[in-house]
């Protein structure tokens, strides 16, 4: 009888011990998984830091486009972006709408969007492209427009500089929201050439006229670059929540827009210049006088 009792105790102890071991092994496994996830996050952060440390501040910035929302020329979704044809004159490049065909085909790894007042920097954001070395002609060309909707930069701006006396920042399409650059944002029969992910990006099949940025049209085939109705083209729309179904007061900058009754002219916050560079990752600070080329 005593032997049976001892045997029972030993067996029960062994079973309990195996149960504890299984629990312990499961706990260790869970902790290893958590540790692996943390190490993966750390590795991603290290790679991001290494990418940025590898950026060269030196190089040349080239002016690819300038948008003046009140010069009488409409830089909507279909004008210039896909074709890359010259628009405007070099001597008026920073006072009127302008596109340089030569710059449009240059390889570019960095892009700067600069708001300026008569050629003087007011605010600037610099981004690094996900895909390095592609030209704006490729990035905005017809093959990329279908299906469009590309998030083309990563990690947000690598530089953001805003003058202390800059005005109209609360709904600026570039400087009032964060995130990365979205190109060729096609949704239903609407398109926006440049928006930020920190703003509202409409779903592909939603016709809400509610993605706002640079180079817009609310009645267009955004996949083929063909116009359905010229009433709704406009240079620059400010950040706002104004869905088509409930809102008839789309705030745009300046007077460069079609006659669509929902488009409401508003103050000009500045001209918006688009510069690209293959190597430079730093742009001159607010107060700098712009030119067609800027060496840094």
């Amino acid at each position: 009888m005593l032997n049976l009792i001892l045997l029972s105790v030993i067996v029960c102890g062994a079973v309990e011990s195996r149960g504890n071991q299984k629990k312990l092994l499961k706990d260790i496994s869970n902790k290893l998984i958590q540790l692996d996830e943390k190490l993966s996050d750390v590795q991603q952060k290290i790679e991001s830091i290494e990418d940025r440390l590898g950026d060269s501040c030196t190089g040349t910035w080239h002016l690819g486009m300038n948008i003046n929302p009140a010069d009488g020329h409409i830089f909507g979704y279909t004008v210039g972006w896909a074709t890359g044809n010259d628009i405007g004159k070099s001597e008026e490049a920073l006072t009127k709408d302008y596109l340089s065909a030569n710059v449009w085909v240059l390889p570019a790894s960095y892009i700067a969007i600069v708001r300026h007042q008569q050629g003087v920097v007011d605010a600037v954001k610099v981004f690094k492209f996900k895909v390095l070395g592609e030209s704006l002609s490729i990035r905005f060309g017809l093959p990329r427009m279908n299906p469009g909707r590309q998030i083309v930069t990563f990690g947000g701006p690598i530089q953001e500089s805003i003058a202390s006396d800059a005005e109209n920042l609360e709904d600026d399409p570039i400087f009032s929201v964060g995130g990365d650059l979205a190109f060729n944002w096609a949704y239903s029969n609407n398109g926006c050439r440049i928006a930020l992910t920190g703003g509202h990006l409409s779903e592909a099949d939603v016709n809400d006229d509610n993605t706002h940025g640079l180079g817009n049209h609310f009645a267009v085939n955004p996949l083929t670059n063909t116009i359905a109705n010229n009433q709704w083209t406009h240079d620059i729309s400010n950040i706002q929540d104004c869905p088509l179904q409930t809102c008839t007061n789309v705030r745009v900058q300046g007077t460069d827009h079609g006659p669509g009754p929902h488009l409401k002219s508003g103050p000009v916050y500045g001209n918006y210049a688009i510069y690209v560079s293959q190597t430079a990752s730093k742009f001159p600070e607010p107060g700098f006088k712009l030119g067609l080329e800027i060496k840094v």
Side-chain angles (χ1 to χ4, degrees), residues 240-254:
Q240 58 201 290
D241 185 21
C242 187
L244 173 64
Q245 293 76 11
T246 59
C247 181
T248 58
N249 185 32
V250 179
R251 301 191 309 277
V252 303
Q253 288 191 36

Side-chain angles (χ1 to χ4, degrees), residues 91-111:
E91 57 268 27
E92 298 177 327
L94 290 162
T95 58
K96 294 184 178 181
D97 284 358
Y98 173 79
L99 189 152
S100 168
N102 290 333
V103 173
W104 218 245
V105 297
L106 290 179
S109 295
Y110 301 90
I111 182 170

